[in-house]
Amino acid sequence: MGAEIVALQEVLAYPSYDHARAIAARSNYRSAVSSPYVRYGTTAWVLAILSRHPILKIEEKALGSRRALRTLIDVHGHNLEVVTLHLTPLAGPNSSTSNIRQRTAARRKELQILIHWLKGSPYPQIVAGDFNMLRATFGILDMGEYSMMLEAGYEDADGAWLPMNSDTFPIPEETRQKVGEYLPGILIPDAITLDYVFYSDGISVDSIESVESAESDHYPLVGDFRLDNCQ
């Protein structure tokens, strides 16, 4: 699609093979790759940012057991910070109500660390990734996480009262069946939004949309952004 910057989460990494850097090399992108933040035997997950523009600086931050990757990118002579992250999952295969509350508390703590880390940057920022939180439109299903980003001064690129994008996470059938044990099927949506692009002052949004794809269990968000001081 000719993207200038790509933020990736949950990229597999093996001891002998670096998927993120291999993708970047094949596609002629510069790359920034985080340390592993989840491990399964000999494999791990990493975060990655791919850029057509020069990457001037790379930082990462542990968010409890999760992680965020932060880059400073030179976009035609103007500095832009791009951050990607992957927070604690909304629920697990056998999540009880107490477990879901624990996961919510973990994400809130992760967001507190993130916001403190990013606070005071002199550059415009885009923060994109799998937040594993609900938007809570009209205050419904509000767990307090989404508002933390807004209160920190960020805007949701698709944050109108009635977001027009499709959701980003199609709910698997086994999950629908599990939820159906205590909720009527008519109340269970086909998909929910777990992935977001937030941005700070100095950036304008021309468009943003989710794109249905079978390449991942989440649909990607694709946006056109402008730096306000970049002609």
Side-chain angles (χ1 to χ4, degrees), residues 1-7 24 27-32 48-55 71 73-78 80 82 126 206 221-227 230-231:
M1 73 183 80
E4 294 180 60
I5 299 171
V6 182
S27 305
N28 197 30
Y29 281 98
R30 300 168 174 88
S31 64
I49 292 175
L50 313 183
S51 174
R52 298 290 190 199
H53 305 285
I55 298 175
T71 57
I73 298 177
D74 178 351
V75 181
H76 305 304
H78 299 272
L80 168 69
V82 178
I126 290 176
D206 287 339
L221 276 171
V222 181
D224 285 324
F225 298 86
R226 286 181 289 111
L227 287 171
C230 185
Q231 300 300 318

Side-chain angles (χ1 to χ4, degrees), residues 202-225:
I203 297 173
S204 299
V205 182
D206 287 339
S207 66
I208 186 165
E209 63 179 341
S210 55
V211 179
E212 291 191 12
S213 169
E215 301 306 316
S216 169
D217 59 336
H218 290 238
Y219 297 152
L221 276 171
V222 181
D224 285 324
F225 298 86

Side-chain angles (χ1 to χ4, degrees), residues 135 146 150 155-165 197 199 208:
R135 181 178 275 117
Y146 179 78
L150 304 185
E155 297 285 343
D156 180 355
D158 182 42
W161 281 106
L162 291 173
M164 300 305 293
N165 292 339
V197 180
Y199 64 98
I208 186 165

Side-chain angles (χ1 to χ4, degrees), residues 90 96-108 143:
L90 182 68
S96 61
T97 301
S98 61
N99 180 258
I100 290 174
R101 289 197 186 102
Q102 290 171 357
R103 290 169 180 270
T104 299
R107 285 191 301 276
R108 287 179 60 84
M143 298 179 180

Side-chain angles (χ1 to χ4, degrees), residues 68-89:
L69 177 65
R70 180 181 188 177
T71 57
L72 181 63
I73 298 177
D74 178 351
V75 181
H76 305 304
H78 299 272
N79 288 338
L80 168 69
E81 282 192 343
V82 178
V83 182
T84 190
L85 51 84
H86 185 186
L87 302 186
T88 292

